[in-house]
């Protein structure tokens, strides 16, 4: 019996020595110390051994069992270490490298300044209970002109020449088309904003582009007045510029509002004293707006005797230009990385 035990111990320890993976160690453990392992079987059969030898055989078995166990443990630690350093060598992870290193920061992507202001404006309006709607960039004549009180041959169409598709559709000239789509989707009372890209057939210069961005807004409820319009506009400007901004309304003509206005803000560059940005007037034209024309409400299936509303169209390019002092609208679509990296 002692002989058999010694042999088990020797083969187990030498197998452990030459094991080269943790899986093999586990196999060895099962072979000797598992439920049906050779050493386990001997330990279990101690009861059959004559009493006078039982104590010494038992003691020897336990001693070998401990030796094999600690052999397994040591080898396992040793293997883990070399496996770890092998992995490290293969994957070449330098955990001390600064992930915020200058070159990496340089190459990080970022949001276009127009997107940044669009999301900011969406948040401001959402917090005032406005819903955000979308509309297609290729529109029908109906949504872009007709339903906005600009029937065919209306002279106001001349101001918004655009690109036409061969089947009679067009690239929308303004986000106002979203007003009509909105009225088809939601019923009054409602507050909606619709941001989007718009197009004009236009010669480009420092302040004109053929592609630019607007946010349309519309609120319809009972007895909406110009006071509601002014309040919402002032609230918006206060959030964007982080200070109170004085506004004034001048009459402006748009077929889809009556009365229609141009909303000016007190020049933020010179604080109204007069500078080149405000052309010495102290005021900067910011956004057109007005009370929704009854014909437009009717086109949207809303009874103008019962409901009224205001609407506005905010030009995002102009807003970003004012916020950052950008002097040429063509920068936005230039794709010039030196421009974009500044935001
Ligand atoms: N859609 C007009 C444009 O692009 C701007 C505008 C004017 C929108 C008055 C409005 C509004 O909602 O009430 O020139």
């Amino acid at each position: 019996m002692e002989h058999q035990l010694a042999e088990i111990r020797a083969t187990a320890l030498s197998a452990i020595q030459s094991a080269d993976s943790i899986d093999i160690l586990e196999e060895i453990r099962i072979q000797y110390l598992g439920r049906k392992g050779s050493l386990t079987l001997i330990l279990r059969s101690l009861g059959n051994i004559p009493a006078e030898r039982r104590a010494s055989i038992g003691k020897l078995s336990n001693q070998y069992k401990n030796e094999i166990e600690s052999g397994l443990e040591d080898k396992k630690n040793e293997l883990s270490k070399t496996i770890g350093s092998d992995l490290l060598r293969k994957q070449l992870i330098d955990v001390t490298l600064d992930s915020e290193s200058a070159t990496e920061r340089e190459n990080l992507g970022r949001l276009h300044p127009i997107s940044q202001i669009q999301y900011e404006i969406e948040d401001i309006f959402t917090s005032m209970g406005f819903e955000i709607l979308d509309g297609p960039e290729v529109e029908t004549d109906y949504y872009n002109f007709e339903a906005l009180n600009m029937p065919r041959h209306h002279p106001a169409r001349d101001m918004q020449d655009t690109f036409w598709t061969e089947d009679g559709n067009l690239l929308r000239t303004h986000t106002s088309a979203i007003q009509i789509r909105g009225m088809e989707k939601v019923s009054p009372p409602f507050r909606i904003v619709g941001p989007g890209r718009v197009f004009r057939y236009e010669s480009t210069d420092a302040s004109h582009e053929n592609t630019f961005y607007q946010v349309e807004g519309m609120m319809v409820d009972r007895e909406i007045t110009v006071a509601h319009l002014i309040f919402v506009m002032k609230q918006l400007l206060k959030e964007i510029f982080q200070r109170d901004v004085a506004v004034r309304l001048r009459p402006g003509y748009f077929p889809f509002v009556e009365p229609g206005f141009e909303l000016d803000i007190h020049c933020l560059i010179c604080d109204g004293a007069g500078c080149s940005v405000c052309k010495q007037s102290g005021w900067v034209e910011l956004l057109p707006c007005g009370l929704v024309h009854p014909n437009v409400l009717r086109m949207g299936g809303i009874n103008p005797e019962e409901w009224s509303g205001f609407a506005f169209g905010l030009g995002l390019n102009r807003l970003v230009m004012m916020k950052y002092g950008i002097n040429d609208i063509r920068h936005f679509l230039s794709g010039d990385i030196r421009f974009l990296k500044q935001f």
Side-chain angles (χ1 to χ4, degrees):
M1 194 61 157
E2 283 87 346
H3 183 68
Q4 196 192 341
L5 276 172
E7 198 162 310
I8 288 176
R9 169 184 177 274
T11 49
L13 289 180
S14 89
I16 290 170
Q17 246 348 284
S18 49
D20 58 4
S21 80
I22 292 183
D23 285 346
I24 290 178
L25 283 182
E26 179 60 11
E27 276 167 29
I28 297 171
R29 190 191 64 77
I30 291 167
Q31 187 184 345
Y32 295 94
L33 307 177
R35 251 175 1 103
K36 290 182 185 156
S38 44
L39 196 57
T40 311
L41 292 180
I42 291 180
L43 278 162
R44 261 203 227 132
S45 63
L46 283 178
N48 306 331
I49 293 172
E52 63 279 11
R53 296 183 55 219
R54 197 180 296 152
S56 67
I57 300 269
K59 200 173 154 208
L60 205 58
S61 307
N62 274 320
Q63 183 195 322
Y64 292 170
K65 181 179 173 226
N66 290 339
E67 275 180 54
I68 294 173
E69 273 173 350
S70 59
L72 284 168
E73 193 57 35
D74 291 349
K75 188 71 181 180
K76 194 171 163 184
N77 288 339
E78 186 189 316
L79 284 176
S80 311
K81 265 186 219 143
T82 50
I83 289 169
S85 56
D86 271 2
L87 256 182
L88 211 58
R89 217 175 312 117
K90 275 191 209 131
Q91 300 190 348
L92 271 177
I93 297 172
D94 183 350
V95 293
T96 64
L97 197 65
D98 173 15
S99 66
E100 291 277 289
S101 67
T103 46
E104 221 165 290
R105 258 197 309 270
E106 282 286 283
N107 293 327
L108 272 185
R110 64 198 76 197
L111 287 174
H112 192 281
I114 297 268
S115 305
Q116 291 181 22
I117 202 123
Q118 179 189 324
Y119 297 156
E120 196 183 320
I121 287 170
E122 286 179 4
D123 281 349
I124 296 168
F125 278 112
T126 315
S127 76
M128 290 195 276
F130 282 73
E131 196 177 334
I132 298 165
L133 294 185
D134 204 359
E137 290 176 351
V138 180
E139 263 299 3
T140 62
D141 186 283
Y142 173 80
Y143 286 108
N144 196 83
F145 292 127
E146 195 89 29
L148 285 162
N149 208 23
M150 266 189 276
R152 238 164 262 269
H153 310 301
H154 193 294
R157 285 194 179 204
D158 286 354
M159 309 281 292
Q160 303 196 358
D161 199 3
T162 182
F163 304 89
W164 295 79
T165 61
E166 281 169 2
D167 57 1
N169 293 320
L170 52 99
L171 295 191
R172 66 176 172 199
T173 58
H174 51 184
T175 44
S176 300
I178 298 176
Q179 289 187 25
I180 309 296
R181 291 185 174 275
M183 286 186 286
E184 290 176 357
K185 266 195 207 100
V186 294
S187 35
F190 64 77
R191 284 167 242 182
I192 55 174
V193 284
R197 182 159 58 164
V198 302
F199 310 86
R200 301 275 168 97
Y201 179 62
E202 191 118 51
S203 326
T204 55
D205 62 30
S207 49
H208 294 87
E209 249 298 7
N210 51 44
T211 304
F212 52 101
Y213 294 79
Q214 294 182 333
V215 173
E216 193 74 14
M218 188 185 205
M219 174 169 181
V220 172
D221 207 322
R222 292 178 203 279
E223 293 171 31
I224 290 290
T225 69
V226 175
H228 296 107
L229 167 65
I230 294 177
F231 174 80
V232 172
M233 292 301 100
K234 283 183 103 167
Q235 201 62 28
L236 168 73
L237 297 170
K238 186 175 168 178
E239 297 270 354
I240 292 178
F241 294 108
Q242 294 293 309
R243 60 195 235 201
D244 281 319
V245 183
V247 303
R248 76 173 184 191
L249 295 182
R250 284 179 295 118
Y253 176 69
F254 304 92
F256 33 94
V257 280
E258 179 59 38
F261 308 105
E262 288 289 354
L263 183 141
D264 297 341
I265 62 172
H266 217 204
C267 181
L268 297 171
I269 313 279
C270 63
D271 241 338
C275 67
S276 65
V277 172
C278 60
K279 301 190 192 102
Q280 311 306 327
S281 74
W283 295 92
V284 180
E285 186 177 312
L286 189 75
L287 67 106
C289 52
L291 296 186
V292 184
H293 196 289
N295 285 351
V296 174
L297 290 174
R298 264 186 225 110
M299 287 302 234
I302 293 172
N303 178 4
E305 304 296 328
E306 194 180 342
W307 304 97
S308 51
F310 67 73
F312 59 89
L314 182 61
L316 291 188
N317 300 65
R318 166 76 72 85
L319 203 58
V320 176
M321 287 169 82
M322 290 222 326
K323 189 165 174 178
Y324 296 110
I326 298 166
N327 56 12
D328 194 322
I329 193 173
R330 290 167 295 192
H331 285 306
F332 290 115
L333 294 179
S334 68
D336 189 333
I337 224 93
R338 292 166 305 177
F339 171 73
L340 296 172
K341 270 185 176 170
Q342 300 175 71
F343 305 97

